Amino acid sequence: MYQKKMELINRRGQKIAAEIFVPGQEGEEKKYPTVIFSHGFGGNYRLLHHHGPGYAEAGIVCMFFDFCGGGMDSLSQGSMRAMTIPTEQADLEDVIKFTKDLPYVDGENFFLQGESMGGFVTAHLLGQKELPVKGQILWYPAFVIPDDSQKRFDMDRYDLGGLVLSADYNETAMNINIFEEIKATRVPTLLIHGDRDELVPIAYSRRAHELYPNSEFIVLSEAGHGFEGEDSQRARQESINFILKHVAGEGRDQEC
């Protein structure tokens, strides 16, 4: 198992910083199932890359990256005042294209994963476009974003968590009908959400589970927004299990 730090350029000419964990040894001519893991609002990939070794040890390539303008400590270029859901979607599409061309990536077994706003962006992308993706994994996905954006727009507010956003952020986000997109999404989906989440009420994930044509829903008792300790370990293992199961061609629809 090893990791690589790399940079790619998005369609706006900005640098995207990334880190990828790859099973096996350098120079091996082998392709592995692959997942791209998108971070949440105001975050960065370094808050998530501790999960990388677990994926690699399970035989899965795991790509982490920073959205442009996605957080104050982002290693990618771009300002948070220029960041919107569409810019993050475009970044994710650029990362997908880049990752699929890597020699050790199995494009036939390709997955997307996201936490919070990264989960929203992932779900939004797959609700809009049919991509060669085998499944998606969403940790406490922020399906509340359109409702919250509408509230801020009505109050003429452009700040979130003490961070100033552009007017375009609210205006683009509040017009996304994410639940209609969810109904049109065909890829298998794993939702994992804590029942003590105060930022994104679990009711949003319950509704998504009801609307996704093919989904699993795991509730972590007493977990909040952002998993820690045993909750983090369980979420990672459930995600790995989901990937390996669908690589093997299985699937189910249930709530755990």
mmCIF file with all atom_site columns, all heavy atoms in Angstrom, residues 143-169:
data_model
loop_
_atom_site.group_PDB
_atom_site.id
_atom_site.type_symbol
_atom_site.label_atom_id
_atom_site.label_alt_id
_atom_site.label_comp_id
_atom_site.label_asym_id
_atom_site.label_entity_id
_atom_site.label_seq_id
_atom_site.pdbx_PDB_ins_code
_atom_site.Cartn_x
_atom_site.Cartn_y
_atom_site.Cartn_z
_atom_site.occupancy
_atom_site.B_iso_or_equiv
_atom_site.pdbx_formal_charge
_atom_site.auth_seq_id
_atom_site.auth_comp_id
_atom_site.auth_asym_id
_atom_site.auth_atom_id
_atom_site.pdbx_PDB_model_num
ATOM 1   N N   . PHE A 1 143 ? -28.544 17.077 2.002  1.00 0.00 ? 143 PHE A N   1
ATOM 2   C CA  . PHE A 1 143 ? -29.711 17.329 1.153  1.00 0.00 ? 143 PHE A CA  1
ATOM 3   C C   . PHE A 1 143 ? -30.530 18.516 1.652  1.00 0.00 ? 143 PHE A C   1
ATOM 4   O O   . PHE A 1 143 ? -31.499 18.929 1.014  1.00 0.00 ? 143 PHE A O   1
ATOM 5   C CB  . PHE A 1 143 ? -30.586 16.084 1.068  1.00 0.00 ? 143 PHE A CB  1
ATOM 6   C CG  . PHE A 1 143 ? -29.921 14.922 0.369  1.00 0.00 ? 143 PHE A CG  1
ATOM 7   C CD1 . PHE A 1 143 ? -30.037 13.630 0.860  1.00 0.00 ? 143 PHE A CD1 1
ATOM 8   C CD2 . PHE A 1 143 ? -29.191 15.121 -0.791 1.00 0.00 ? 143 PHE A CD2 1
ATOM 9   C CE1 . PHE A 1 143 ? -29.438 12.564 0.215  1.00 0.00 ? 143 PHE A CE1 1
ATOM 10  C CE2 . PHE A 1 143 ? -28.576 14.066 -1.450 1.00 0.00 ? 143 PHE A CE2 1
ATOM 11  C CZ  . PHE A 1 143 ? -28.704 12.782 -0.943 1.00 0.00 ? 143 PHE A CZ  1
ATOM 12  N N   . VAL A 1 144 ? -30.138 19.078 2.782  1.00 0.00 ? 144 VAL A N   1
ATOM 13  C CA  . VAL A 1 144 ? -30.781 20.268 3.337  1.00 0.00 ? 144 VAL A CA  1
ATOM 14  C C   . VAL A 1 144 ? -30.334 21.546 2.612  1.00 0.00 ? 144 VAL A C   1
ATOM 15  O O   . VAL A 1 144 ? -30.932 22.611 2.803  1.00 0.00 ? 144 VAL A O   1
ATOM 16  C CB  . VAL A 1 144 ? -30.464 20.374 4.852  1.00 0.00 ? 144 VAL A CB  1
ATOM 17  C CG1 . VAL A 1 144 ? -28.988 20.707 5.077  1.00 0.00 ? 144 VAL A CG1 1
ATOM 18  C CG2 . VAL A 1 144 ? -31.354 21.379 5.545  1.00 0.00 ? 144 VAL A CG2 1
ATOM 19  N N   . ILE A 1 145 ? -29.301 21.453 1.784  1.00 0.00 ? 145 ILE A N   1
ATOM 20  C CA  . ILE A 1 145 ? -28.709 22.653 1.168  1.00 0.00 ? 145 ILE A CA  1
ATOM 21  C C   . ILE A 1 145 ? -29.722 23.518 0.416  1.00 0.00 ? 145 ILE A C   1
ATOM 22  O O   . ILE A 1 145 ? -29.753 24.745 0.612  1.00 0.00 ? 145 ILE A O   1
ATOM 23  C CB  . ILE A 1 145 ? -27.516 22.255 0.267  1.00 0.00 ? 145 ILE A CB  1
ATOM 24  C CG1 . ILE A 1 145 ? -26.304 21.937 1.145  1.00 0.00 ? 145 ILE A CG1 1
ATOM 25  C CG2 . ILE A 1 145 ? -27.178 23.354 -0.740 1.00 0.00 ? 145 ILE A CG2 1
ATOM 26  C CD1 . ILE A 1 145 ? -25.095 21.424 0.385  1.00 0.00 ? 145 ILE A CD1 1
ATOM 27  N N   . PRO A 1 146 ? -30.579 22.975 -0.454 1.00 0.00 ? 146 PRO A N   1
ATOM 28  C CA  . PRO A 1 146 ? -31.541 23.861 -1.131 1.00 0.00 ? 146 PRO A CA  1
ATOM 29  C C   . PRO A 1 146 ? -32.462 24.608 -0.165 1.00 0.00 ? 146 PRO A C   1
ATOM 30  O O   . PRO A 1 146 ? -32.726 25.806 -0.359 1.00 0.00 ? 146 PRO A O   1
ATOM 31  C CB  . PRO A 1 146 ? -32.323 22.897 -2.040 1.00 0.00 ? 146 PRO A CB  1
ATOM 32  C CG  . PRO A 1 146 ? -31.357 21.784 -2.307 1.00 0.00 ? 146 PRO A CG  1
ATOM 33  C CD  . PRO A 1 146 ? -30.630 21.605 -1.007 1.00 0.00 ? 146 PRO A CD  1
ATOM 34  N N   . ASP A 1 147 ? -32.952 23.924 0.862  1.00 0.00 ? 147 ASP A N   1
ATOM 35  C CA  . ASP A 1 147 ? -33.838 24.580 1.830  1.00 0.00 ? 147 ASP A CA  1
ATOM 36  C C   . ASP A 1 147 ? -33.098 25.678 2.599  1.00 0.00 ? 147 ASP A C   1
ATOM 37  O O   . ASP A 1 147 ? -33.623 26.788 2.788  1.00 0.00 ? 147 ASP A O   1
ATOM 38  C CB  . ASP A 1 147 ? -34.399 23.557 2.820  1.00 0.00 ? 147 ASP A CB  1
ATOM 39  C CG  . ASP A 1 147 ? -35.396 22.606 2.184  1.00 0.00 ? 147 ASP A CG  1
ATOM 40  O OD1 . ASP A 1 147 ? -35.858 22.900 1.054  1.00 0.00 ? 147 ASP A OD1 1
ATOM 41  O OD2 . ASP A 1 147 ? -35.715 21.574 2.802  1.00 0.00 ? 147 ASP A OD2 1
ATOM 42  N N   . ASP A 1 148 ? -31.880 25.367 3.063  1.00 0.00 ? 148 ASP A N   1
ATOM 43  C CA  . ASP A 1 148 ? -31.103 26.366 3.800  1.00 0.00 ? 148 ASP A CA  1
ATOM 44  C C   . ASP A 1 148 ? -30.733 27.551 2.912  1.00 0.00 ? 148 ASP A C   1
ATOM 45  O O   . ASP A 1 148 ? -30.734 28.706 3.367  1.00 0.00 ? 148 ASP A O   1
ATOM 46  C CB  . ASP A 1 148 ? -29.833 25.728 4.363  1.00 0.00 ? 148 ASP A CB  1
ATOM 47  C CG  . ASP A 1 148 ? -30.095 24.891 5.604  1.00 0.00 ? 148 ASP A CG  1
ATOM 48  O OD1 . ASP A 1 148 ? -31.235 24.925 6.119  1.00 0.00 ? 148 ASP A OD1 1
ATOM 49  O OD2 . ASP A 1 148 ? -29.165 24.201 6.052  1.00 0.00 ? 148 ASP A OD2 1
ATOM 50  N N   . SER A 1 149 ? -30.423 27.276 1.656  1.00 0.00 ? 149 SER A N   1
ATOM 51  C CA  . SER A 1 149 ? -30.065 28.361 0.728  1.00 0.00 ? 149 SER A CA  1
ATOM 52  C C   . SER A 1 149 ? -31.255 29.270 0.464  1.00 0.00 ? 149 SER A C   1
ATOM 53  O O   . SER A 1 149 ? -31.107 30.497 0.360  1.00 0.00 ? 149 SER A O   1
ATOM 54  C CB  . SER A 1 149 ? -29.539 27.779 -0.578 1.00 0.00 ? 149 SER A CB  1
ATOM 55  O OG  . SER A 1 149 ? -28.352 27.028 -0.359 1.00 0.00 ? 149 SER A OG  1
ATOM 56  N N   . GLN A 1 150 ? -32.439 28.671 0.354  1.00 0.00 ? 150 GLN A N   1
ATOM 57  C CA  . GLN A 1 150 ? -33.652 29.476 0.166  1.00 0.00 ? 150 GLN A CA  1
ATOM 58  C C   . GLN A 1 150 ? -33.879 30.385 1.378  1.00 0.00 ? 150 GLN A C   1
ATOM 59  O O   . GLN A 1 150 ? -34.230 31.574 1.223  1.00 0.00 ? 150 GLN A O   1
ATOM 60  C CB  . GLN A 1 150 ? -34.857 28.562 -0.035 1.00 0.00 ? 150 GLN A CB  1
ATOM 61  C CG  . GLN A 1 150 ? -36.173 29.297 -0.258 1.00 0.00 ? 150 GLN A CG  1
ATOM 62  C CD  . GLN A 1 150 ? -36.225 30.000 -1.599 1.00 0.00 ? 150 GLN A CD  1
ATOM 63  O OE1 . GLN A 1 150 ? -36.160 29.360 -2.640 1.00 0.00 ? 150 GLN A OE1 1
ATOM 64  N NE2 . GLN A 1 150 ? -36.335 31.331 -1.586 1.00 0.00 ? 150 GLN A NE2 1
ATOM 65  N N   . LYS A 1 151 ? -33.664 29.868 2.581  1.00 0.00 ? 151 LYS A N   1
ATOM 66  C CA  . LYS A 1 151 ? -33.847 30.670 3.795  1.00 0.00 ? 151 LYS A CA  1
ATOM 67  C C   . LYS A 1 151 ? -32.864 31.834 3.829  1.00 0.00 ? 151 LYS A C   1
ATOM 68  O O   . LYS A 1 151 ? -33.235 32.966 4.158  1.00 0.00 ? 151 LYS A O   1
ATOM 69  C CB  . LYS A 1 151 ? -33.662 29.788 5.039  1.00 0.00 ? 151 LYS A CB  1
ATOM 70  C CG  . LYS A 1 151 ? -34.763 28.765 5.251  1.00 0.00 ? 151 LYS A CG  1
ATOM 71  C CD  . LYS A 1 151 ? -34.439 27.860 6.426  1.00 0.00 ? 151 LYS A CD  1
ATOM 72  C CE  . LYS A 1 151 ? -35.488 26.761 6.580  1.00 0.00 ? 151 LYS A CE  1
ATOM 73  N NZ  . LYS A 1 151 ? -35.135 25.814 7.672  1.00 0.00 ? 151 LYS A NZ  1
ATOM 74  N N   . ARG A 1 152 ? -31.591 31.566 3.483  1.00 0.00 ? 152 ARG A N   1
ATOM 75  C CA  . ARG A 1 152 ? -30.608 32.649 3.476  1.00 0.00 ? 152 ARG A CA  1
ATOM 76  C C   . ARG A 1 152 ? -30.954 33.685 2.402  1.00 0.00 ? 152 ARG A C   1
ATOM 77  O O   . ARG A 1 152 ? -30.815 34.886 2.626  1.00 0.00 ? 152 ARG A O   1
ATOM 78  C CB  . ARG A 1 152 ? -29.201 32.095 3.238  1.00 0.00 ? 152 ARG A CB  1
ATOM 79  C CG  . ARG A 1 152 ? -28.603 31.392 4.443  1.00 0.00 ? 152 ARG A CG  1
ATOM 80  C CD  . ARG A 1 152 ? -27.110 31.168 4.272  1.00 0.00 ? 152 ARG A CD  1
ATOM 81  N NE  . ARG A 1 152 ? -26.814 30.397 3.078  1.00 0.00 ? 152 ARG A NE  1
ATOM 82  C CZ  . ARG A 1 152 ? -26.805 29.060 3.026  1.00 0.00 ? 152 ARG A CZ  1
ATOM 83  N NH1 . ARG A 1 152 ? -27.090 28.365 4.120  1.00 0.00 ? 152 ARG A NH1 1
ATOM 84  N NH2 . ARG A 1 152 ? -26.532 28.430 1.904  1.00 0.00 ? 152 ARG A NH2 1
ATOM 85  N N   . PHE A 1 153 ? -31.413 33.216 1.244  1.00 0.00 ? 153 PHE A N   1
ATOM 86  C CA  . PHE A 1 153 ? -31.795 34.131 0.172  1.00 0.00 ? 153 PHE A CA  1
ATOM 87  C C   . PHE A 1 153 ? -32.935 35.042 0.630  1.00 0.00 ? 153 PHE A C   1
ATOM 88  O O   . PHE A 1 153 ? -32.909 36.255 0.394  1.00 0.00 ? 153 PHE A O   1
ATOM 89  C CB  . PHE A 1 153 ? -32.209 33.333 -1.062 1.00 0.00 ? 153 PHE A CB  1
ATOM 90  C CG  . PHE A 1 153 ? -32.640 34.176 -2.224 1.00 0.00 ? 153 PHE A CG  1
ATOM 91  C CD1 . PHE A 1 153 ? -31.709 34.728 -3.092 1.00 0.00 ? 153 PHE A CD1 1
ATOM 92  C CD2 . PHE A 1 153 ? -33.991 34.425 -2.457 1.00 0.00 ? 153 PHE A CD2 1
ATOM 93  C CE1 . PHE A 1 153 ? -32.117 35.518 -4.165 1.00 0.00 ? 153 PHE A CE1 1
ATOM 94  C CE2 . PHE A 1 153 ? -34.402 35.208 -3.521 1.00 0.00 ? 153 PHE A CE2 1
ATOM 95  C CZ  . PHE A 1 153 ? -33.455 35.750 -4.384 1.00 0.00 ? 153 PHE A CZ  1
ATOM 96  N N   . ASP A 1 154 ? -33.924 34.451 1.288  1.00 0.00 ? 154 ASP A N   1
ATOM 97  C CA  . ASP A 1 154 ? -35.073 35.235 1.757  1.00 0.00 ? 154 ASP A CA  1
ATOM 98  C C   . ASP A 1 154 ? -34.655 36.273 2.806  1.00 0.00 ? 154 ASP A C   1
ATOM 99  O O   . ASP A 1 154 ? -35.275 37.342 2.911  1.00 0.00 ? 154 ASP A O   1
ATOM 100 C CB  . ASP A 1 154 ? -36.137 34.310 2.347  1.00 0.00 ? 154 ASP A CB  1
ATOM 101 C CG  . ASP A 1 154 ? -36.793 33.420 1.293  1.00 0.00 ? 154 ASP A CG  1
ATOM 102 O OD1 . ASP A 1 154 ? -36.683 33.747 0.099  1.00 0.00 ? 154 ASP A OD1 1
ATOM 103 O OD2 . ASP A 1 154 ? -37.397 32.400 1.677  1.00 0.00 ? 154 ASP A OD2 1
ATOM 104 N N   . MET A 1 155 ? -33.608 35.955 3.583  1.00 0.00 ? 155 MET A N   1
ATOM 105 C CA  . MET A 1 155 ? -33.120 36.883 4.611  1.00 0.00 ? 155 MET A CA  1
ATOM 106 C C   . MET A 1 155 ? -32.008 37.789 4.084  1.00 0.00 ? 155 MET A C   1
ATOM 107 O O   . MET A 1 155 ? -31.460 38.591 4.845  1.00 0.00 ? 155 MET A O   1
ATOM 108 C CB  . MET A 1 155 ? -32.617 36.099 5.823  1.00 0.00 ? 155 MET A CB  1
ATOM 109 C CG  . MET A 1 155 ? -33.698 35.346 6.568  1.00 0.00 ? 155 MET A CG  1
ATOM 110 S SD  . MET A 1 155 ? -33.059 34.565 8.087  1.00 0.00 ? 155 MET A SD  1
ATOM 111 C CE  . MET A 1 155 ? -31.987 33.297 7.399  1.00 0.00 ? 155 MET A CE  1
ATOM 112 N N   . ASP A 1 156 ? -31.683 37.640 2.787  1.00 0.00 ? 156 ASP A N   1
ATOM 113 C CA  . ASP A 1 156 ? -30.593 38.416 2.173  1.00 0.00 ? 156 ASP A CA  1
ATOM 114 C C   . ASP A 1 156 ? -29.281 38.201 2.931  1.00 0.00 ? 156 ASP A C   1
ATOM 115 O O   . ASP A 1 156 ? -28.516 39.143 3.179  1.00 0.00 ? 156 ASP A O   1
ATOM 116 C CB  . ASP A 1 156 ? -30.941 39.910 2.135  1.00 0.00 ? 156 ASP A CB  1
ATOM 117 C CG  . ASP A 1 156 ? -30.079 40.670 1.122  1.00 0.00 ? 156 ASP A CG  1
ATOM 118 O OD1 . ASP A 1 156 ? -29.641 40.045 0.126  1.00 0.00 ? 156 ASP A OD1 1
ATOM 119 O OD2 . ASP A 1 156 ? -29.834 41.873 1.329  1.00 0.00 ? 156 ASP A OD2 1
ATOM 120 N N   . ARG A 1 157 ? -29.014 36.935 3.245  1.00 0.00 ? 157 ARG A N   1
ATOM 121 C CA  . ARG A 1 157 ? -27.780 36.571 3.950  1.00 0.00 ? 157 ARG A CA  1
ATOM 122 C C   . ARG A 1 157 ? -26.904 35.730 3.033  1.00 0.00 ? 157 ARG A C   1
ATOM 123 O O   . ARG A 1 157 ? -27.394 34.864 2.307  1.00 0.00 ? 157 ARG A O   1
ATOM 124 C CB  . ARG A 1 157 ? -28.089 35.775 5.219  1.00 0.00 ? 157 ARG A CB  1
ATOM 125 C CG  . ARG A 1 157 ? -28.683 36.585 6.341  1.00 0.00 ? 157 ARG A CG  1
ATOM 126 C CD  . ARG A 1 157 ? -28.818 35.745 7.595  1.00 0.00 ? 157 ARG A CD  1
ATOM 127 N NE  . ARG A 1 157 ? -27.549 35.118 7.963  1.00 0.00 ? 157 ARG A NE  1
ATOM 128 C CZ  . ARG A 1 157 ? -27.416 34.260 8.984  1.00 0.00 ? 157 ARG A CZ  1
ATOM 129 N NH1 . ARG A 1 157 ? -28.467 33.934 9.711  1.00 0.00 ? 157 ARG A NH1 1
ATOM 130 N NH2 . ARG A 1 157 ? -26.249 33.746 9.264  1.00 0.00 ? 157 ARG A NH2 1
ATOM 131 N N   . TYR A 1 158 ? -25.611 35.978 3.116  1.00 0.00 ? 158 TYR A N   1
ATOM 132 C CA  . TYR A 1 158 ? -24.669 35.266 2.250  1.00 0.00 ? 158 TYR A CA  1
ATOM 133 C C   . TYR A 1 158 ? -23.484 34.726 3.051  1.00 0.00 ? 158 TYR A C   1
ATOM 134 O O   . TYR A 1 158 ? -22.363 34.673 2.561  1.00 0.00 ? 158 TYR A O   1
ATOM 135 C CB  . TYR A 1 158 ? -24.188 36.193 1.125  1.00 0.00 ? 158 TYR A CB  1
ATOM 136 C CG  . TYR A 1 158 ? -25.343 36.695 0.293  1.00 0.00 ? 158 TYR A CG  1
ATOM 137 C CD1 . TYR A 1 158 ? -25.909 37.937 0.547  1.00 0.00 ? 158 TYR A CD1 1
ATOM 138 C CD2 . TYR A 1 158 ? -25.912 35.897 -0.687 1.00 0.00 ? 158 TYR A CD2 1
ATOM 139 C CE1 . TYR A 1 158 ? -27.005 38.382 -0.181 1.00 0.00 ? 158 TYR A CE1 1
ATOM 140 C CE2 . TYR A 1 158 ? -27.004 36.332 -1.422 1.00 0.00 ? 158 TYR A CE2 1
ATOM 141 C CZ  . TYR A 1 158 ? -27.548 37.569 -1.167 1.00 0.00 ? 158 TYR A CZ  1
ATOM 142 O OH  . TYR A 1 158 ? -28.637 37.992 -1.876 1.00 0.00 ? 158 TYR A OH  1
ATOM 143 N N   . ASP A 1 159 ? -23.772 34.322 4.283  1.00 0.00 ? 159 ASP A N   1
ATOM 144 C CA  . ASP A 1 159 ? -22.724 33.742 5.118  1.00 0.00 ? 159 ASP A CA  1
ATOM 145 C C   . ASP A 1 159 ? -23.195 32.395 5.638  1.00 0.00 ? 159 ASP A C   1
ATOM 146 O O   . ASP A 1 159 ? -24.400 32.156 5.795  1.00 0.00 ? 159 ASP A O   1
ATOM 147 C CB  . ASP A 1 159 ? -22.386 34.671 6.285  1.00 0.00 ? 159 ASP A CB  1
ATOM 148 C CG  . ASP A 1 159 ? -23.577 34.858 7.218  1.00 0.00 ? 159 ASP A CG  1
ATOM 149 O OD1 . ASP A 1 159 ? -24.537 35.554 6.813  1.00 0.00 ? 159 ASP A OD1 1
ATOM 150 O OD2 . ASP A 1 159 ? -23.573 34.298 8.330  1.00 0.00 ? 159 ASP A OD2 1
ATOM 151 N N   . LEU A 1 160 ? -22.255 31.524 5.878  1.00 0.00 ? 160 LEU A N   1
ATOM 152 C CA  . LEU A 1 160 ? -22.562 30.189 6.395  1.00 0.00 ? 160 LEU A CA  1
ATOM 153 C C   . LEU A 1 160 ? -21.422 29.753 7.295  1.00 0.00 ? 160 LEU A C   1
ATOM 154 O O   . LEU A 1 160 ? -20.276 29.670 6.857  1.00 0.00 ? 160 LEU A O   1
ATOM 155 C CB  . LEU A 1 160 ? -22.739 29.194 5.239  1.00 0.00 ? 160 LEU A CB  1
ATOM 156 C CG  . LEU A 1 160 ? -23.031 27.734 5.610  1.00 0.00 ? 160 LEU A CG  1
ATOM 157 C CD1 . LEU A 1 160 ? -24.293 27.637 6.455  1.00 0.00 ? 160 LEU A CD1 1
ATOM 158 C CD2 . LEU A 1 160 ? -23.173 26.893 4.339  1.00 0.00 ? 160 LEU A CD2 1
ATOM 159 N N   . GLY A 1 161 ? -21.744 29.530 8.555  1.00 0.00 ? 161 GLY A N   1
ATOM 160 C CA  . GLY A 1 161 ? -20.716 29.114 9.499  1.00 0.00 ? 161 GLY A CA  1
ATOM 161 C C   . GLY A 1 161 ? -19.602 30.123 9.650  1.00 0.00 ? 161 GLY A C   1
ATOM 162 O O   . GLY A 1 161 ? -18.453 29.766 9.887  1.00 0.00 ? 161 GLY A O   1
ATOM 163 N N   . GLY A 1 162 ? -19.954 31.417 9.502  1.00 0.00 ? 162 GLY A N   1
ATOM 164 C CA  . GLY A 1 162 ? -18.962 32.465 9.635  1.00 0.00 ? 162 GLY A CA  1
ATOM 165 C C   . GLY A 1 162 ? -18.167 32.723 8.371  1.00 0.00 ? 162 GLY A C   1
ATOM 166 O O   . GLY A 1 162 ? -17.291 33.598 8.352  1.00 0.00 ? 162 GLY A O   1
ATOM 167 N N   . LEU A 1 163 ? -18.457 32.006 7.284  1.00 0.00 ? 163 LEU A N   1
ATOM 168 C CA  . LEU A 1 163 ? -17.752 32.162 6.019  1.00 0.00 ? 163 LEU A CA  1
ATOM 169 C C   . LEU A 1 163 ? -18.667 32.862 5.017  1.00 0.00 ? 163 LEU A C   1
ATOM 170 O O   . LEU A 1 163 ? -19.842 32.519 4.882  1.00 0.00 ? 163 LEU A O   1
ATOM 171 C CB  . LEU A 1 163 ? -17.327 30.791 5.478  1.00 0.00 ? 163 LEU A CB  1
ATOM 172 C CG  . LEU A 1 163 ? -16.401 29.999 6.401  1.00 0.00 ? 163 LEU A CG  1
ATOM 173 C CD1 . LEU A 1 163 ? -16.192 28.589 5.845  1.00 0.00 ? 163 LEU A CD1 1
ATOM 174 C CD2 . LEU A 1 163 ? -15.060 30.703 6.566  1.00 0.00 ? 163 LEU A CD2 1
ATOM 175 N N   . VAL A 1 164 ? -18.124 33.865 4.337  1.00 0.00 ? 164 VAL A N   1
ATOM 176 C CA  . VAL A 1 164 ? -18.906 34.653 3.386  1.00 0.00 ? 164 VAL A CA  1
ATOM 177 C C   . VAL A 1 164 ? -18.904 33.973 2.027  1.00 0.00 ? 164 VAL A C   1
ATOM 178 O O   . VAL A 1 164 ? -17.854 33.603 1.492  1.00 0.00 ? 164 VAL A O   1
ATOM 179 C CB  . VAL A 1 164 ? -18.345 36.082 3.266  1.00 0.00 ? 164 VAL A CB  1
ATOM 180 C CG1 . VAL A 1 164 ? -19.158 36.883 2.248  1.00 0.00 ? 164 VAL A CG1 1
ATOM 181 C CG2 . VAL A 1 164 ? -18.376 36.779 4.625  1.00 0.00 ? 164 VAL A CG2 1
ATOM 182 N N   . LEU A 1 165 ? -20.115 33.817 1.460  1.00 0.00 ? 165 LEU A N   1
ATOM 183 C CA  . LEU A 1 165 ? -20.279 33.191 0.157  1.00 0.00 ? 165 LEU A CA  1
ATOM 184 C C   . LEU A 1 165 ? -20.778 34.221 -0.846 1.00 0.00 ? 165 LEU A C   1
ATOM 185 O O   . LEU A 1 165 ? -21.173 35.321 -0.482 1.00 0.00 ? 165 LEU A O   1
ATOM 186 C CB  . LEU A 1 165 ? -21.284 32.033 0.257  1.00 0.00 ? 165 LEU A CB  1
ATOM 187 C CG  . LEU A 1 165 ? -20.958 30.953 1.287  1.00 0.00 ? 165 LEU A CG  1
ATOM 188 C CD1 . LEU A 1 165 ? -22.119 29.988 1.409  1.00 0.00 ? 165 LEU A CD1 1
ATOM 189 C CD2 . LEU A 1 165 ? -19.686 30.219 0.918  1.00 0.00 ? 165 LEU A CD2 1
ATOM 190 N N   . SER A 1 166 ? -20.777 33.842 -2.097 1.00 0.00 ? 166 SER A N   1
ATOM 191 C CA  . SER A 1 166 ? -21.298 34.737 -3.132 1.00 0.00 ? 166 SER A CA  1
ATOM 192 C C   . SER A 1 166 ? -22.822 34.660 -3.188 1.00 0.00 ? 166 SER A C   1
ATOM 193 O O   . SER A 1 166 ? -23.429 33.697 -2.706 1.00 0.00 ? 166 SER A O   1
ATOM 194 C CB  . SER A 1 166 ? -20.722 34.345 -4.494 1.00 0.00 ? 166 SER A CB  1
ATOM 195 O OG  . SER A 1 166 ? -21.280 33.107 -4.923 1.00 0.00 ? 166 SER A OG  1
ATOM 196 N N   . ALA A 1 167 ? -23.429 35.660 -3.823 1.00 0.00 ? 167 ALA A N   1
ATOM 197 C CA  . ALA A 1 167 ? -24.874 35.620 -4.045 1.00 0.00 ? 167 ALA A CA  1
ATOM 198 C C   . ALA A 1 167 ? -25.230 34.433 -4.932 1.00 0.00 ? 167 ALA A C   1
ATOM 199 O O   . ALA A 1 167 ? -26.312 33.842 -4.783 1.00 0.00 ? 167 ALA A O   1
ATOM 200 C CB  . ALA A 1 167 ? -25.341 36.924 -4.684 1.00 0.00 ? 167 ALA A CB  1
ATOM 201 N N   . ASP A 1 168 ? -24.327 34.059 -5.831 1.00 0.00 ? 168 ASP A N   1
ATOM 202 C CA  . ASP A 1 168 ? -24.583 32.934 -6.729 1.00 0.00 ? 168 ASP A CA  1
ATOM 203 C C   . ASP A 1 168 ? -24.733 31.623 -5.976 1.00 0.00 ? 168 ASP A C   1
ATOM 204 O O   . ASP A 1 168 ? -25.436 30.724 -6.433 1.00 0.00 ? 168 ASP A O   1
ATOM 205 C CB  . ASP A 1 168 ? -23.447 32.791 -7.753 1.00 0.00 ? 168 ASP A CB  1
ATOM 206 C CG  . ASP A 1 168 ? -23.499 33.855 -8.826 1.00 0.00 ? 168 ASP A CG  1
ATOM 207 O OD1 . ASP A 1 168 ? -24.549 34.508 -8.960 1.00 0.00 ? 168 ASP A OD1 1
ATOM 208 O OD2 . ASP A 1 168 ? -22.484 34.039 -9.519 1.00 0.00 ? 168 ASP A OD2 1
ATOM 209 N N   . TYR A 1 169 ? -24.068 31.510 -4.825 1.00 0.00 ? 169 TYR A N   1
ATOM 210 C CA  . TYR A 1 169 ? -24.165 30.251 -4.079 1.00 0.00 ? 169 TYR A CA  1
ATOM 211 C C   . TYR A 1 169 ? -25.620 29.964 -3.720 1.00 0.00 ? 169 TYR A C   1
ATOM 212 O O   . TYR A 1 169 ? -26.160 28.884 -4.017 1.00 0.00 ? 169 TYR A O   1
ATOM 213 C CB  . TYR A 1 169 ? -23.306 30.272 -2.813 1.00 0.00 ? 169 TYR A CB  1
ATOM 214 C CG  . TYR A 1 169 ? -23.389 28.964 -2.062 1.00 0.00 ? 169 TYR A CG  1
ATOM 215 C CD1 . TYR A 1 169 ? -22.498 27.933 -2.318 1.00 0.00 ? 169 TYR A CD1 1
ATOM 216 C CD2 . TYR A 1 169 ? -24.408 28.731 -1.132 1.00 0.00 ? 169 TYR A CD2 1
ATOM 217 C CE1 . TYR A 1 169 ? -22.597 26.714 -1.660 1.00 0.00 ? 169 TYR A CE1 1
ATOM 218 C CE2 . TYR A 1 169 ? -24.514 27.518 -0.475 1.00 0.00 ? 169 TYR A CE2 1
ATOM 219 C CZ  . TYR A 1 169 ? -23.611 26.519 -0.743 1.00 0.00 ? 169 TYR A CZ  1
ATOM 220 O OH  . TYR A 1 169 ? -23.736 25.305 -0.093 1.00 0.00 ? 169 TYR A OH  1
#
